[in-house]
Amino acid sequence: MAEDQKMIKMIIQRQDEPEAQPYEEEFEIPYRENMNVISALMEIRRNPVNAKGEETTPVYWDMGCLEEVCGACSMVINGKAMQSCTALIDQLELPVRLEPMRTFPVMRDLAVDRSQMFDSLKQVKAWVPIDGTYDLGEGQRMPESKRQWAYELSKCMTCGVCLEACPNVNDNSDFIGPAALSQVRLFNTHPTGEYHKAERMEAVLDEGGLQACGNAQNCVEACPKGIPLTTSIAALNREATLHSFKSFFGSDHHV
């Protein structure tokens, strides 16, 4: 019977536009087995009526793949940043409280602008340049032992959860965050990407790079993909020391 239908209470922090003041709105939706947070939000979108019975605007959020690959649906769920597509209602404490990640500018409701992450990837040249090299035949092969751990680093989906968890990423710091640093290690390891290793090392030694990391290690605990971010940062610190040493003693050496 309808009166026996289990209801899920959700408290959602909303914001109508980037400069608007945030506010909370409560919703009650019918429970379904195996619901995730995304399906709960879709239920609200189908019937945008709050817990007071008032019609309201549909809650806005970002999503793409729904398979924890795109990273777009990151939000703070019950105080912890995570992917809403894999956050199951049955595994969450009720009521479910949803908030946007505050490390990034809020665009509307639960959707944020993660542009700073992509700008950081540009800053550290996190790519393998191929201009002209595709005419040279097969490139160098990566040893299997190195490929296996490099693959773990390649799982990064730029979701922003590690930046949200990091206390050193804030309005008073220009720290680029652990995700970009880990990608430097990934592309420095690639046989072709390694040719631009020196440029990347200069980038991570610049303002907002390695020196801005406080080694809180929150990032590796928060990463939904289990990427060994702190291991990458430690490896980069060793590489940075060696790079600085070579740059200093070889600065006036001409070939």
Side-chain angles (χ1 to χ4, degrees):
M1 296 179 65
E3 58 266 29
D4 297 327
Q5 172 70 62
K6 180 181 177 181
M7 304 297 286
I8 304 299
K9 182 177 180 180
M10 305 188 76
I11 303 173
I12 302 176
Q13 185 167 299
R14 308 198 62 183
Q15 188 168 328
D16 297 332
E17 56 184 13
E19 303 302 322
Q21 287 297 314
Y23 62 94
E24 287 187 351
E25 191 164 27
E26 296 186 10
F27 296 88
E28 290 187 349
I29 60 170
Y31 168 81
R32 294 197 314 274
E33 192 175 0
N34 297 322
M35 285 182 76
N36 60 7
V37 168
I38 291 291
S39 58
L41 288 170
M42 287 179 171
E43 187 68 33
I44 294 173
R45 184 170 63 185
R46 281 191 290 269
N47 183 33
V49 176
N50 63 27
K52 297 178 182 178
E54 303 166 338
E55 290 190 9
T56 185
T57 55
V59 177
Y60 188 85
W61 76 96
D62 200 0
M63 66 178 184
C65 67
L66 300 180
E67 295 179 339
E68 201 179 70
V69 175
C70 71
C73 69
S74 304
M75 62 183 68
V76 178
I77 302 173
N78 288 353
K80 182 180 179 181
M82 63 178 74
Q83 302 297 289
S84 50
C85 63
T86 51
L88 299 178
I89 297 296
D90 286 334
Q91 297 175 2
L92 298 173
E93 184 178 340
L94 299 178
V96 178
R97 184 179 293 272
L98 305 181
E99 304 168 78
M101 294 190 295
R102 286 295 171 181
T103 295
F104 306 94
V106 177
M107 303 305 293
R108 180 181 167 192
D109 291 343
L110 302 170
V112 298
D113 181 0
R114 293 176 292 142
S115 295
Q116 68 188 70
M117 292 196 73
F118 301 104
D119 291 340
S120 295
L121 293 176
K122 294 176 185 178
Q123 180 181 333
V124 299
K125 297 179 174 58
W127 61 82
V128 175
I130 61 170
D131 291 350
T133 60
Y134 44 77
D135 290 330
L136 302 179
E138 289 188 9
Q140 300 178 51
R141 288 185 175 274
M142 182 181 288
E144 180 63 19
S145 58
K146 184 180 289 187
R147 187 200 63 79
Q148 288 179 3
W149 64 255
Y151 175 70
E152 295 303 313
L153 304 186
S154 73
K155 292 179 180 179
C156 179
M157 52 189 176
T158 327
C159 67
V161 168
C162 63
L163 272 71
E164 179 72 10
C166 178
N168 298 109
V169 179
N170 54 64
D171 293 337
N172 300 316
S173 169
D174 53 5
F175 182 37
I176 60 176
L181 293 178
S182 186
Q183 292 301 288
V184 169
R185 185 187 180 210
L186 170 64
F187 289 103
N188 280 356
T189 302
H190 191 281
T192 303
E194 190 175 9
Y195 288 113
H196 293 263
K197 180 177 180 178
E199 293 179 52
R200 296 193 191 94
M201 294 310 300
E202 287 295 327
V204 299
L205 286 169
D206 204 352
E207 292 293 325
L210 280 168
Q211 80 284 356
C213 173
N215 197 33
Q217 303 191 27
N218 293 17
C219 57
V220 72
E221 294 182 13
C223 178
K225 291 298 185 181
I227 298 171
L229 297 167
T230 51
T231 301
S232 289
I233 293 172
L236 278 183
N237 273 309
R238 292 191 295 271
E239 288 287 346
T241 301
L242 184 60
H243 177 80
S244 299
F245 187 83
K246 288 180 177 179
S247 298
F248 180 79
F249 287 100
S251 59
D252 58 352
H253 178 69
H254 299 283
V255 178

